[in-house]
Amino acid sequence: MKTICLYFEIHQITHLKRYRFFDIGTDHYYYDDYENERTINDIVERSYMPALETLDQMLRDHNGAFKVAFSLSGVGIEQLEMHAPKVLEKLQHMAETGCVEFLAEPYSHGLSSLANEECFAADIKKQMAKVKEYFNQVPKVLRNSGLIYSDDIGMQAAQLGFKGMLTEGAKHVLGWKSPHYLYHCALNPNLKLMLRDVKMSDDISLRFNNSDWEGYPLFADSFIQRIADCPEEEQFYGIFMNLSAIGVAQPLSSNILEFIKALPLCAKQKGITFSTPTEVCTKLKSVSQLDVPDTLSWMDEERDVSCWLGNPMQREAFNKLYSVADRVRIANDPRINQDWDYLQATNNFYFMTTKPSGVGVDRGIYSSAFDAFTNYMNILGDFISRVQNLYPESIDNDELESLLTTIRNQGDEIIIKDKEISRLQAKLEKIEAASDKLREKVDGVPAKKTATRKPRAKKAADAAE
């Protein structure tokens, strides 16, 4: 039986403010609060809430027959917590149906998978904790930033315990193969690979409202018919897109919500089901391994990482940022960690792209790629100075890790000893109470009430007085 896996990404840009060279060392706050609040409220009203209201109603109308998956970046969740908690509440309400799956992804929505394995693993685990907190789910399927994937990244995902991973059904990787099958990682067959159907996904997210497109207008019944007409042995159809495609990329006036709403009924009429990513990985068998020696993504025609790392400015910023990755991870300072998450986000590098693209690049406050690079490097210069001031360069990473481990171990030992002292004090009080009762029975004299023993610190203070 053919099944559709419908997945939406939710990520929100944290906008950086104008930061001059002369601000380095004097101003450690890097964000444009007004722009962050304005943009998230705009996208929530135009896209997130109308789309989620519709999907929520679909879940309840179809009694388990309709299923959907979401992935939220950690930094995106933080923005929603501050400015639009109703989005998180709506997602929690939807999760109660049991037909919604939440996936793992890097907390920062960054490029750590291309730079540092320890940083990548920590990034994912941090986001998973957030998903557990809000939706009481432990993600079993991973979605990397921009659907970035390679054999090596797949191997690490498998080592982290994931059953499956989403990535792009790129032509240069698939060749003659179809994206409508389940594959597995070339370096670890335990990791299933679910591929995005590029054409079907982009027909909705990019072309739906384009009157010059040969497929315009697109109707739900004809869309489902295309799936029904595929060979019977092709069983899986990955429709992956950003949630903002509904309402922003494709305005609500285009009737995009009516299209989405009609999909389950049209699918049911053709015997086509909906499944979550974990269900696909569990129920379907892989047909073969997928060899991806070079990194791919869902961005641009090349489907690679050149939109983030394609020019010298981007690579300079990337290398500079991740040069302190180990030190940031080892130090584990809360303020540094928060800035680290925001500075890793892919959009910071995308603003610096110089690639010609059919889709215009919205650079926000920046007038050019060089302007974006200059502003980011000023901020990065201050950030790295803070990291180095916290733990001087004279202390290398190994020495720093050893020192901090010793400090943490000493703290743990103190806690353990305090607990042992409390346990022994309680045991001693019980022994004294039992001794008093025995003396009362033998001598016939009422036992004196045993005073509660004071902690050592309290005794010492009393003695001093």
Side-chain angles (χ1 to χ4, degrees):
M1 182 178 290
K2 296 178 180 179
T3 192
I4 297 170
C5 181
L6 186 61
Y7 153 79
F8 294 101
E9 162 70 5
I10 299 177
H11 166 63
Q12 186 61 32
I13 291 174
T14 301
H15 294 276
L16 303 178
K17 69 180 181 182
R18 280 288 177 187
Y19 194 91
R20 303 171 304 161
F21 175 80
F22 300 103
D23 293 325
I24 298 174
T26 63
D27 182 4
H28 305 316
Y29 190 76
Y30 311 135
Y31 314 106
D32 187 335
D33 292 333
Y34 171 79
E35 187 63 13
N36 285 325
E37 184 175 4
R38 186 195 68 79
T39 54
I40 195 167
N41 285 330
D42 177 64
I43 198 171
V44 165
E45 296 307 317
R46 290 170 57 198
S47 172
Y48 291 174
M49 286 310 295
L52 293 177
E53 291 283 1
T54 297
L55 292 168
D56 186 22
Q57 192 60 50
M58 292 165 65
L59 289 166
R60 298 175 194 284
D61 288 346
H62 294 281
N63 299 316
F66 175 69
K67 299 176 182 180
V68 65
F70 294 95
S71 176
L72 292 83
S73 68
V75 294
I77 292 176
E78 289 185 16
Q79 290 292 312
L80 293 172
E81 286 173 334
M82 287 187 286
H83 304 300
K86 61 183 178 181
V87 173
L88 295 172
E89 292 168 5
K90 172 56 68 176
L91 287 167
Q92 288 174 323
H93 184 63
M94 294 168 67
E96 293 172 359
T97 63
C99 296
V100 179
E101 180 176 356
F102 293 91
L103 310 186
E105 73 161 75
Y107 190 96
S108 65
H109 199 76
L111 302 172
S112 55
S113 61
L114 305 176
N116 188 294
E117 288 190 6
E118 290 81 5
C119 177
F120 181 50
D123 217 3
I124 291 170
K125 291 175 183 177
K126 185 175 180 180
Q127 187 263 1
M128 291 175 66
K130 206 76 168 174
V131 170
K132 175 66 175 175
E133 174 190 344
Y134 272 100
F135 310 113
N136 198 30
Q137 291 189 19
V138 178
K140 299 179 178 64
V141 176
L142 174 64
R143 183 262 187 204
N144 198 5
S145 311
L147 293 189
I148 293 173
Y149 178 80
S150 69
D151 292 336
D152 290 334
I153 293 172
M155 170 63 92
Q156 188 174 0
Q159 291 171 344
L160 289 171
F162 291 106
K163 291 185 175 183
M165 188 168 178
L166 273 54
T167 190
E168 182 78 339
K171 269 291 182 187
H172 72 275
V173 170
L174 282 171
W176 57 269
K177 298 177 182 177
S178 167
H180 303 150
Y181 293 97
L182 200 62
Y183 297 91
H184 63 260
C185 173
L187 300 182
N188 193 320
N190 293 324
L191 183 78
K192 304 290 182 59
L193 297 179
M194 304 173 59
L195 306 184
R196 174 177 178 262
D197 185 302
V198 177
K199 188 175 189 311
M200 288 186 177
S201 300
D202 288 353
D203 282 350
I204 300 174
S205 61
L206 297 182
R207 293 182 281 270
F208 185 83
N209 193 44
N210 182 3
S211 58
D212 294 328
W213 170 45
E214 61 181 11
Y216 179 87
L218 181 63
F219 296 105
D221 56 354
S222 59
F223 184 82
I224 294 296
Q225 186 62 51
R226 285 163 53 184
I227 295 176
D229 291 341
C230 289
E232 196 59 37
E233 61 272 15
E234 295 187 351
Q235 295 184 331
F236 158 72
Y237 299 82
I239 311 299
F240 307 159
M241 66 190 82
N242 289 314
L243 186 62
S244 59
I246 302 176
V248 177
Q250 307 304 319
L252 299 184
S253 59
S254 67
N255 292 324
I256 183 73
L257 287 179
E258 285 69 21
F259 170 84
I260 297 291
K261 196 183 302 182
L263 288 175
L265 182 58
C266 293
K268 184 179 180 181
Q269 292 171 349
K270 297 295 181 180
I272 298 170
T273 64
F274 283 82
S275 299
T276 63
T278 295
E279 287 176 340
V280 172
C281 291
T282 302
K283 294 177 181 178
L284 299 183
K285 292 184 178 180
S286 168
V287 295
S288 72
Q289 71 179 35
L290 192 68
D291 296 297
V292 190
D294 299 317
T295 311
L296 68 91
S297 79
W298 71 354
M299 293 296 289
D300 296 341
E301 292 183 4
E302 293 83 0
R303 305 291 194 240
D304 58 15
V305 297
S306 58
C307 66
W308 302 297
L309 300 176
N311 65 47
M313 291 185 296
Q314 292 170 311
R315 292 190 291 274
E316 169 68 17
F318 175 82
N319 292 333
K320 192 78 172 176
L321 174 68
Y322 285 101
S323 69
V324 294
D326 288 329
R327 186 162 290 257
V328 169
R329 178 180 54 81
I330 294 167
N332 198 27
D333 178 80
R335 285 293 304 277
I336 293 293
N337 288 345
Q338 185 178 50
D339 292 333
W340 173 248
D341 289 334
Y342 295 149
L343 292 177
Q344 283 189 85
T346 58
N347 53 275
N348 293 315
F349 300 95
Y350 187 66
F351 290 152
M352 304 176 201
T353 185
T354 52
K355 283 182 63 178
S357 174
V359 181
V361 179
D362 181 3
R363 301 186 197 273
I365 63 172
Y366 306 119
S367 59
S368 66
F370 181 73
D371 187 24
F373 170 74
T374 302
N375 200 68
Y376 183 80
M377 293 302 284
N378 286 342
I379 291 173
L380 190 56
D382 182 79
F383 174 76
I384 291 176
S385 294
R386 288 167 56 206
V387 174
Q388 293 173 347
N389 289 338
L390 190 62
Y391 298 105
E393 281 188 304
S394 56
I395 305 176
D396 62 30
N397 288 342
D398 291 340
E399 185 180 355
L400 175 60
E401 186 162 23
S402 176
L403 176 62
L404 292 177
T405 299
T406 300
I407 293 171
R408 293 187 192 108
N409 289 343
Q410 287 176 342
D412 292 341
E413 288 177 7
I414 291 172
I415 292 172
I416 292 171
K417 287 179 180 178
D418 285 343
K419 288 181 179 178
E420 182 66 13
I421 289 171
S422 298
R423 187 185 69 81
L424 292 173
Q425 284 177 341
K427 187 174 181 179
L428 182 59
E429 288 170 7
K430 287 182 180 179
I431 292 171
E432 289 179 344
S435 176
D436 289 343
K437 286 182 180 180
L438 182 61
R439 189 179 298 110
E440 180 182 357
K441 285 183 179 180
V442 173
D443 300 337
V445 179
K448 295 181 180 180
K449 189 175 182 180
T450 304
T452 302
R453 297 177 67 86
K454 296 179 181 179
R456 292 181 182 179
K458 179 66 177 172
K459 281 186 174 182
D462 291 345
E465 290 176 359

